[in-house]
Amino acid sequence: EEYCRRLSQGEIGVGIMGSHPRSPRGITLFPRYVPGSTPPMVDGVPVVSRKVTRGVEVIASAVYVPQVEHHFGFIYSIRIRLLTPDDGDEYVTPEQRGFEKCALLQRHWRITNAETGLTEAVDGNGVIGMFPVLKEGGYWSNIRNEDLPGTFQYQSCTGPMKKGSFAGHLSFQPLSINGDMGNEDSVFRVEVGSFALDSQPPFLF
């Protein structure tokens, strides 16, 4: 009953079951951002976060995986897209944001273990070998070397832990309409809002 309620209200939904663009689609259990609603909180931290920086939206959340907790505690999902005119007042034009497209360069994560108080820093190029170029309505995939519609998303995992939080930012390079890159000074930071990592949520599937 609870599973059906969350599905019908958009708290979970259909998505790609993995990080590769060719991954099959199915019902994913990552908490989703529902416009106009306040997400559940864990110690003051939302279970799903949403941030928009220069027209780039990032929605992020995680699910606990107790069956493999000795290897890693949570699988997290990062969903990234460039807002379009359909997004209403939040939309910013290419002239306002300063670019037609933008390329993901680096990730910078800060994963805090609430039990130990320690924060792990994860910094690297791209995300698991992917360097998407965002455009309105879709993105270019370096894995498939083609333009794809919709939101870019990827999944990865934390180390062993049972409670904490995840936050960070992504580095993007603006591109012109013909794909030319700006200089290093034009690289900008896109925030990834803090979201909770909780091994004892109100409901486990």
Side-chain angles (χ1 to χ4, degrees), residues 109-128:
W109 304 146
R110 300 297 179 263
I111 305 170
T112 299
N113 187 322
E115 294 179 311
T116 65
L118 299 177
T119 297
E120 176 188 9
V122 178
D123 302 285
N125 295 326
V127 287
I128 55 175

Side-chain angles (χ1 to χ4, degrees), residues 122-164:
V122 178
D123 302 285
N125 295 326
V127 287
I128 55 175
M130 294 186 283
F131 297 84
V133 175
L134 304 184
K135 64 176 185 176
E136 291 185 16
Y139 63 98
W140 175 81
S141 167
N142 65 297
I143 300 297
R144 294 182 60 174
N145 192 28
E146 65 177 318
D147 290 325
L148 297 172
T151 299
F152 169 79
Q153 67 178 33
Y154 95 100
Q155 300 166 12
S156 191
C157 56
T158 70
M161 60 186 299
K162 291 191 174 181
K163 191 172 186 179

Side-chain angles (χ1 to χ4, degrees), residues 147-200:
D147 290 325
L148 297 172
T151 299
F152 169 79
Q153 67 178 33
Y154 95 100
Q155 300 166 12
S156 191
C157 56
T158 70
M161 60 186 299
K162 291 191 174 181
K163 191 172 186 179
S165 61
F166 186 117
H169 70 276
L170 299 159
S171 297
F172 275 87
Q173 173 74 66
L175 302 179
S176 67
I177 193 168
N178 61 6
D180 293 336
M181 300 184 72
N183 57 41
E184 291 184 3
D185 293 337
S186 65
V187 173
F188 65 100
R189 171 174 172 153
V190 171
E191 297 297 326
V192 178
S194 179
F195 59 93
L197 305 174
D198 183 18
S199 65
Q200 295 182 321

